[in-house]
Structure formats: structure tokens, C-alpha cells
């Protein structure tokens, strides 16, 4: 990549109001790549909060979060726009989280699913449960 193009991309990033958490790393001269640039873009698309993660100016992954009356739904997508994780946080009538459901597609194409209880201090249970009912019955020792 030529110097002027690289400088223009850096200027665009620094002047973009949606860009946050810029991190740059310079490696030893014997390492490839010589430098790494990481940053996030935060914006709203179709009533969903979106965070895109970039590695050296290329989209690496992104997350879309939608907040409804009793749920917060977050979905994670890879750079090829394939869904790899979904998390649903259940909210009570006061809008406080009490349970979380997660699905993660592992690299070996196995879909892992579980529920976890959330207490009043926003702490997740160590135990993971296979069903909503099983998780709902769980009484954490910390309330």
C-alpha cells in the first residue's frame, strides 16, 4: 500500500465520529505484518446498535444489538456476514436483566447453547443450564 493512500485512510479514521477505540501496534522488524491497526465503528442501522471491528482497515466482525421491551438481542457476524453468535438477555418488568440465553457456533461447526441466571448485582451464574425452566428455578447463592 502506498504512503499517500495509507495516510488518507488514517486521516479518514481520525475524522470519523463513529470510530472509537483506535489501537495501533508496531512489531519487531522481523515480524510480518510490521504494524497492526485495530478500531471500532459504532452506529445505528435499522433500529439496531451496530459495532464493527476492523483489522488493518478490513472488516473483521460486527455485532448488532436490538433492545425490545423485555429482551436485548445481540447477534455477532463474521467478515463474510455469517452469524456465529446470538445472545438474548431477558429483562423483568423493571427493565433489569435476570437471565441470558447464548448460542455460539464453534470453529468445528458445533452449536453450543445454554442459559445462565443473572442476579441483582449483574453477576452471571457459574452454572450453565440446558433449558429456560431449569435456569428459572435456579436460586443463586448471591442475591
Amino acid at each position: 500500500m502506498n504512503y499517500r493512500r495509507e495516510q488518507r485512510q488514517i486521516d479518514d479514521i481520525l475524522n470519523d465520529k463513529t470510530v472509537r477505540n483506535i489501537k495501533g501496534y508496531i512489531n519487531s522488524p522481523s515480524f510480518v505484518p510490521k504494524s497492526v491497526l485495530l478500531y471500532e465503528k459504532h452506529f445505528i442501522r435499522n433500529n439496531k446498535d451496530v459495532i464493527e471491528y476492523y483489522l488493518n482497515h478490513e472488516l473483521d466482525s460486527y455485532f448488532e444489538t436490538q433492545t425490545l421491551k423485555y429482551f436485548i438481542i445481540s447477534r455477532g457476524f463474521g467478515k463474510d456476514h455469517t452469524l456465529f453468535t446470538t445472545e438474548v438477555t431477558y429483562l423483568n418488568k423493571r427493565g433489569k436483566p435476570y437471565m441470558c440465553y447464548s448460542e455460539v457456533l464453534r470453529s468445528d461447526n458445533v452449536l453450543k447453547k445454554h442459559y445462565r441466571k443473572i442476579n441483582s448485582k449483574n453477576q452471571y451464574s457459574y452454572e450453565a443450564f440446558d433449558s429456560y425452566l431449569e435456569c428459572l428455578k435456579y436460586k443463586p447463592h448471591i442475591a
Side-chain angles (χ1 to χ4, degrees):
M1 188 180 304
N2 69 32
Y3 175 77
R4 284 193 175 143
R5 182 174 170 205
E6 179 76 23
Q7 186 62 42
R8 188 172 59 247
Q9 284 179 325
I10 291 171
D11 289 343
D12 289 346
I13 290 168
L14 294 174
N15 293 322
D16 188 340
K17 301 290 184 209
T18 65
V19 173
R20 298 183 191 158
N21 299 326
I22 302 170
K23 293 179 177 65
Y25 301 94
I26 300 173
N27 293 321
S28 165
S30 60
F31 280 35
V32 174
K34 300 267 186 254
S35 62
V36 177
L37 179 65
L38 304 163
Y39 59 93
E40 304 169 5
K41 283 189 176 184
H42 296 243
F43 57 92
I44 295 173
R45 175 175 53 215
N46 299 330
N47 294 325
K48 296 175 186 169
D49 293 320
V50 178
I51 302 175
E52 294 179 339
Y53 296 91
Y54 287 85
L55 172 65
N56 291 336
H57 308 294
E58 291 186 22
L59 180 66
D60 182 63
S61 61
Y62 65 98
F63 289 81
E64 296 180 344
T65 303
Q66 182 178 18
T67 303
L68 305 170
K69 186 172 183 177
Y70 294 110
F71 304 99
I72 300 172
I73 304 167
S74 296
R75 294 179 180 91
F77 299 88
K79 60 183 167 189
D80 57 355
H81 307 291
T82 56
L83 179 68
F84 69 86
T85 186
T86 301
E87 181 174 296
V88 178
T89 303
Y90 295 78
L91 306 174
N92 64 19
K93 290 181 181 179
R94 290 180 289 168
K96 302 291 183 189
Y98 68 91
M99 192 182 318
C100 177
Y101 171 73
S102 295
E103 290 182 348
V104 177
L105 183 61
R106 295 187 335 199
S107 59
D108 57 358
N109 281 337
V110 174
L111 185 65
K112 298 296 284 183
K113 304 176 184 181
H114 68 273
Y115 291 86
R116 292 177 67 195
K117 192 77 172 216
I118 304 172
N119 69 12
S120 61
K121 297 178 183 173
N122 260 358
Q123 297 169 320
Y124 288 72
S125 62
Y126 292 117
E127 298 86 355
F129 301 94
D130 294 328
S131 73
Y132 175 85
L133 189 57
E134 197 179 329
C135 185
L136 195 58
K137 290 179 182 178
Y138 175 74
K139 301 291 184 201
H141 66 280
I142 43 178

